[in-house]
């Protein structure tokens, strides 16, 4: 079975021999591929909607893995018992929803050593939750597929999470630049991604700047004083982001 590049990135982060739950598993492609590749020994494919649930059941049955992949209907982490799995994957949802699933299922995180998360938007919300809950963001990757950009965030449970996270989110000066990567900017851009920015990273943030410029142009059409002030603030923010990206690109050369 050939996975999409996005799902393959997630599969690559699974520890050998793990037991994992794939929340919002859709067609159970990830669990089936992970077991066939020998990455996992057991998986739970969780789905809340009947259509994807039935598709997952068919996929698992046709693969002959129904003894090792349990397809379950339920909302978020309610499909697993505490201590049943050591890894959880959640992909293809907004960052706010991922945070909500993790927060509501805190009691199910006992025994879980790794979270592999792929938010479609709101990556900063996920990073902030991981930081606040003492999960160490051990790696990040970014990729483009079918015209969309995805980020995969991997976090580990460790007794050193506090110290490691403080180091990870320490303000970073940008050489030859009047700006620095503050903790808030690292939460937005990704501490690992911004340390090793690639072409996809720059494409994403150039696109984000374009979105801000579009908003500024719309606000500038208003004659209200509050709109004028907001447009000026956005203009300053845009210039700062442009300077940051320019410095990062120079540093990469």
């Amino acid at each position: 079975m050939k996975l999409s590049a996005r799902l393959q990135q997630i599969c690559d982060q699974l520890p050998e021999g793990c037991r994992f739950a794939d929340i919002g598993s859709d067609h159970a492609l990830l669990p089936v591929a992970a077991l066939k590749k020998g990455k996992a020994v057991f998986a739970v494919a969780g789905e809340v909607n009947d259509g994807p649930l039935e598709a997952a059941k068919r996929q698992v049955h046709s693969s002959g893995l129904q003894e090792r992949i349990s397809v379950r209907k339920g909302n978020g982490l309610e499909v697993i018992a505490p201590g049943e799995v050591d890894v959880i994957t959640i992909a293809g949802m907004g960052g706010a929803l991922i945070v909500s699933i993790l927060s509501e299922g805190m009691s199910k995180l006992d025994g879980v050593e790794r979270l592999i998360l792929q938010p479609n938007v709101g990556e900063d919300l996920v990073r902030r939750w991981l930081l606040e809950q003492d999960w160490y963001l051990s790696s990040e990757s970014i990729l483009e597929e079918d015209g969309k950009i995805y980020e995969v965030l991997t976090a580990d449970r460790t007794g050193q999470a506090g110290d490691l996270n403080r180091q990870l989110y320490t303000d970073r000066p940008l050489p030859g630049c009047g700006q620095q990567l503050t903790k808030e900017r690292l939460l937005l851009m990704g501490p690992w991604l911004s340390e090793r920015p690639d072409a996809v990273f720059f494409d994403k943030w150039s696109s984000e700047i374009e979105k801000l410029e579009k908003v500024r142009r719309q606000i500038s059409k208003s004659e209200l004083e509050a709109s004028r002030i907001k447009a000026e603030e956005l203009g300053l923010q845009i210039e700062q982001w442009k300077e940051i990206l320019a410095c990062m690109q120079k540093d990469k050369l």
Side-chain angles (χ1 to χ4, degrees):
M1 175 183 292
K2 182 172 175 58
L3 292 174
S4 66
R6 177 179 66 92
L7 289 181
Q8 186 59 55
Q9 286 272 9
I10 296 169
C11 190
D12 289 344
Q13 293 298 311
L14 290 170
E16 295 287 338
C18 69
R19 302 170 63 87
F20 80 103
D22 187 34
I23 306 302
S25 194
D26 199 5
H27 286 60
L29 294 175
L30 180 61
V32 169
L35 266 77
K36 283 193 170 185
K37 293 172 186 287
K39 292 284 286 185
V41 297
F42 170 78
V44 173
E47 255 303 334
V48 70
N49 297 311
D50 289 330
L53 182 78
E54 292 306 314
K57 287 179 179 178
R58 290 193 296 271
Q59 182 75 252
V60 171
H61 188 267
S62 65
S63 70
L65 291 169
Q66 55 267 39
E67 296 299 318
R68 294 198 289 154
I69 299 177
S70 178
V71 181
R72 303 173 187 174
K73 183 177 181 180
N75 188 30
L77 302 189
E78 71 179 27
V79 297
I80 58 172
E84 187 176 18
V85 298
D86 45 46
V87 178
I88 290 173
T89 60
I90 310 178
M93 307 177 194
L97 180 54
I98 290 176
V99 165
S100 176
I101 288 171
L102 293 170
S103 296
E104 291 174 8
M106 289 285 279
S107 64
K108 304 296 183 74
L109 296 179
D110 289 346
V112 174
E113 299 298 324
R114 173 165 287 189
L115 300 173
I116 307 170
L117 312 170
Q118 183 268 296
N120 287 343
V121 294
E123 296 89 352
D124 59 310
L125 300 177
V126 177
R127 291 189 185 98
R128 195 178 299 277
W129 185 91
L130 293 170
L131 181 61
E132 291 172 350
Q133 299 301 322
D134 282 333
W135 285 83
Y136 173 54
L137 183 65
S138 55
S139 73
E140 300 176 300
S141 59
I142 187 169
L143 69 149
E144 186 275 332
E145 186 173 41
D146 298 331
K148 296 181 180 179
I149 293 177
Y150 302 103
E151 295 180 14
V152 177
L153 314 180
T154 300
D156 292 320
R157 190 190 295 278
T158 169
Q160 298 176 300
D163 291 336
L164 291 171
N165 280 328
R166 274 189 289 275
Q167 295 173 23
L168 192 61
Y169 288 103
T170 297
D171 291 357
R172 305 175 192 174
L174 288 168
C177 181
Q179 302 293 334
Q180 65 175 343
L181 296 181
T182 61
K183 176 182 175 181
E184 288 302 311
R185 286 169 177 167
L186 291 171
L187 284 165
L188 281 168
M189 304 179 87
W192 293 111
L193 297 179
S194 57
E195 186 172 292
R196 297 184 290 270
D198 60 12
V200 180
F201 176 90
F202 288 118
D203 285 346
K204 171 181 177 172
W205 285 99
S206 294
S207 175
E208 292 298 321
I209 290 172
E210 289 175 7
K211 291 176 186 176
L212 286 176
E213 289 180 325
K214 184 177 180 180
V215 172
R216 185 182 62 81
R217 286 195 297 271
Q218 287 297 115
I219 292 176
S220 296
K221 293 176 182 178
S222 171
E223 295 181 357
L224 294 174
E225 178 65 10
S227 297
R228 183 189 66 77
I229 294 172
K230 182 62 176 177
E232 289 180 356
E233 290 174 350
L234 278 174
L236 178 60
Q237 188 178 344
I238 289 165
E239 290 308 309
Q240 289 175 341
W241 280 116
K242 285 182 175 179
E243 186 178 0
I244 287 168
L245 284 192
C247 287
M248 293 175 77
Q249 285 173 318
K250 286 179 184 177
D251 191 45
K252 192 172 182 292
L253 296 176

